[in-house]
Amino acid sequence: MLKIMVIRTLIDNYVWLVLNNNKCLIIDPNDEKLIIKFLKFYKLHLVAILVTHNHYDHTSGISILKNIYQVPVYGPKETKYFNDYTIEQNNIINILQCKFIVLSLPGHTKYHIGYYCNPWLFCGDTLFSAGCGRIFNSSIENMFNSLDKINKLPSNTIIFPSHEYTIKNLDFIISNNISLLNNIFIIKYYKNIVKRMYLNKVPSIPTSLYLERIINPFIQCTNSFYYKNKFIKLPNNISNFDYFKILRSKKDNF
Ligand SMILES: [Zn+2]
């Protein structure tokens, strides 16, 4: 049976593992010492490394793990020096009896990808709970379209971002009173739940697309949500994409 485990690394990173009995693959490995310890402790046999994008906190563990375990690395164009297989939109990877469909998700970086294995989406730094990734060497249009692509997946999609940013994102929403569905009370209520999770050292993610459509203004701005949802309220005379841009730049300075 397939199962997911997580290793919390660095300051706020999550390294996700997909397991089939004692075999596993790992996504975006960084702190290799911690990961090796974890694999030994749970007697796990690593079979592959999947990478979402070329940022150090997602790639720094690859070389050593690849060397020790002699496993293939799958990644986008931008991590080609690590890759055995360079992959792109709609490529399919069959590992551990799991079919991963590659989604091109540029925006945070130019060639960022995600891995979708129904109902799971490993989205790297594209979507966070109650927020989205910063724009580095790509464009705001790309980020908007990538979130829109995610938003076309079924609402029961379970989303595995790579960072624990939920409280900061909820603080941003609440302190700016951003409530496109007029539901700030729900967002405040959810923040209390997440706060209790933090106190008990419980990750606030994975999240679901269903929840993000209720609390996440970046997802709410995307076309596939905005045009279907008559309850959405934006400031007058502003398009959903322009509002998305304003939100992202406000968040950059928060
Ligand atoms: Zn990143």
Side-chain angles (χ1 to χ4, degrees), residues 7-15 28 30-31 34-35 57:
I7 311 174
R8 194 155 180 175
T9 61
L10 311 178
I11 300 167
D12 49 29
N13 277 68
Y14 287 124
V15 173
D28 288 350
N30 41 50
D31 184 343
L34 193 61
I35 291 167
D57 61 324

Side-chain angles (χ1 to χ4, degrees), residues 10 122 127 149 161 186 198 223 248:
L10 311 178
F122 298 92
L127 176 62
K149 189 185 278 184
I186 291 176
Y198 275 33
N223 287 337
R248 188 55 266 174

Side-chain angles (χ1 to χ4, degrees), residues 51-93:
V51 191
T52 62
H53 67 289
N54 190 24
H55 277 165
Y56 188 71
D57 61 324
H58 296 249
T59 59
S60 60
I62 296 175
S63 301
I64 292 180
L65 291 175
K66 188 178 165 172
N67 252 321
I68 296 176
Y69 298 97
Q70 296 291 309
V71 292
V73 176
Y74 297 79
K77 226 184 213 174
E78 65 191 24
T79 63
K80 60 177 184 291
Y81 23 87
F82 297 114
N83 298 349
D84 295 290
Y85 301 100
T86 295
I87 47 180
E88 54 186 22
Q89 173 72 25
N90 290 335
N91 283 170
I92 287 171
I93 309 169

